[in-house]
Amino acid sequence: MMEQRMKMGPIKAIVFDAFGTLFKFTRGGSARTIMKYITDLGIEVDEEAFLKEWKPFYVAHTVGYDTFMTEREIFTARNQMLYDRYSVDRDARADADELLSEASNRIAFPEVTSVLDELKNHYKVFIGSNTDDDVLESVMKKNNVSVGKIYTSENQRCYKPELRFYERIVADNDFLPEEFLFVGDTGNDDIIGPKTAGMKTAFVDREGAGTDCWQDYTIADLSELLTLLKK
């Protein structure tokens, strides 16, 4: 399954999202871990209400925020908010560290290493991810993944899909925006944001959901990039 809206122009740099694109990712896993810490104490929790509150807290601190916070700081603050609500005596920072440690243990999709090795022979290859530096560096090391540069929300001091995240990638390299291809699995962060910055985009649709964010290209997995870039 490979779809495209336009003929591939000259690409000089490829930026990959990390989690869900290069590394396997289970959405909602962190929320359920914290919820289990609470319910294991015999406290009743409305799961639906808990999960509905979990994500908006993160969004509130990564979209339209006044003060930048790292993911570790956001996780710690959210844990503490919930522990206070349910009168739970746990170390919110230690639990945030544990959640992020679990993130660093995620496994790469099967094709990732071989595809990146091939692409690095012809293009500059980067990663652009909403995460902390140490988390991304750990998961890359675990999976023997290396790229030219990594751009994280922590080292850029902003979160995708903020325009400046992508503009800083462009400014850090001697290429035009249209000479970048941003590859990812999330509409706002990996398609709409990069397109606003003038980059080309490829949506990784591993589940065949048919998501349309007006991406330039749709691929089933990263191996299809090798065919796409030869056109």
Side-chain angles (χ1 to χ4, degrees):
M1 176 201 72
M2 180 169 60
E3 300 175 7
Q4 63 185 81
R5 283 194 165 90
M6 61 182 292
K7 182 178 176 62
M8 176 69 77
I11 296 295
K12 296 183 179 179
I14 304 173
V15 187
F16 289 93
D17 167 58
F19 299 106
T21 300
L22 298 178
F23 309 107
K24 296 179 181 179
F25 174 59
T26 302
R27 301 187 188 280
S30 295
R32 288 182 169 83
T33 296
I34 297 300
M35 187 170 63
K36 187 174 187 301
Y37 290 158
I38 297 172
T39 57
D40 280 351
L41 296 173
I43 299 170
E44 291 188 9
V45 175
D46 183 322
E47 180 175 354
E48 183 177 357
F50 189 96
L51 295 177
K52 281 184 177 179
E53 187 172 21
W54 181 267
K55 182 65 174 178
F57 186 95
Y58 181 86
V59 172
H61 289 83
T62 57
V63 178
Y65 51 88
D66 293 324
T67 303
F68 176 82
M69 296 172 65
T70 65
E71 276 208 318
R72 181 169 275 99
E73 290 168 337
I74 294 172
F75 276 41
T76 299
R78 179 168 52 186
N79 292 349
Q80 191 63 60
M81 175 191 71
L82 292 165
Y83 292 163
D84 288 346
R85 176 170 305 160
Y86 292 98
S87 300
V88 171
D89 184 18
R90 288 187 64 94
D91 187 329
R93 172 62 184 249
D95 287 344
D97 289 341
E98 181 64 26
L99 292 177
L100 292 172
S101 177
E102 291 175 5
S104 69
N105 287 323
R106 290 168 182 155
I107 303 300
F109 289 100
E111 78 278 11
V112 166
T113 301
S114 60
V115 169
L116 292 185
D117 286 346
E118 175 62 24
L119 291 175
K120 284 186 288 187
N121 291 326
H122 308 283
Y123 307 94
K124 297 294 184 182
V125 177
F126 309 137
I127 292 177
S129 177
N130 279 348
T131 192
D132 290 352
D133 293 345
D134 62 327
V135 175
L136 182 54
E137 290 165 1
S138 294
V139 75
M140 290 173 64
K141 182 177 181 179
K142 174 182 176 64
N143 289 278
N144 195 30
V145 168
S146 64
V147 297
K149 298 177 183 178
I150 63 171
Y151 299 94
T152 69
S153 49
E154 182 176 15
N155 64 43
Q156 298 304 295
R157 309 302 290 178
C158 62
Y159 285 87
K160 299 184 296 183
E162 285 189 57
L163 183 59
R164 55 182 168 153
F165 187 98
Y166 317 100
E167 289 179 334
R168 287 175 179 174
I169 296 176
V170 173
D172 193 43
N173 297 279
D174 191 23
F175 304 128
L176 298 171
E178 60 267 27
E179 293 175 323
F180 286 85
L181 176 66
F182 204 104
V183 182
D185 70 315
T186 304
N188 284 335
D189 293 355
D190 306 323
I191 305 301
I192 297 173
K195 284 184 74 68
T196 302
M199 296 178 174
K200 294 185 178 71
T201 58
F203 184 80
V204 186
D205 188 6
R206 294 183 183 275
E207 304 299 323
T211 301
D212 190 352
C213 299
W214 207 244
Q215 61 267 23
D216 298 304
Y217 315 100
T218 301
I219 55 178
D221 58 47
L222 301 187
S223 62
E224 290 190 353
L225 276 178
L226 302 181
T227 302
L228 176 65
L229 290 164
K230 290 178 181 177
K231 293 187 175 183

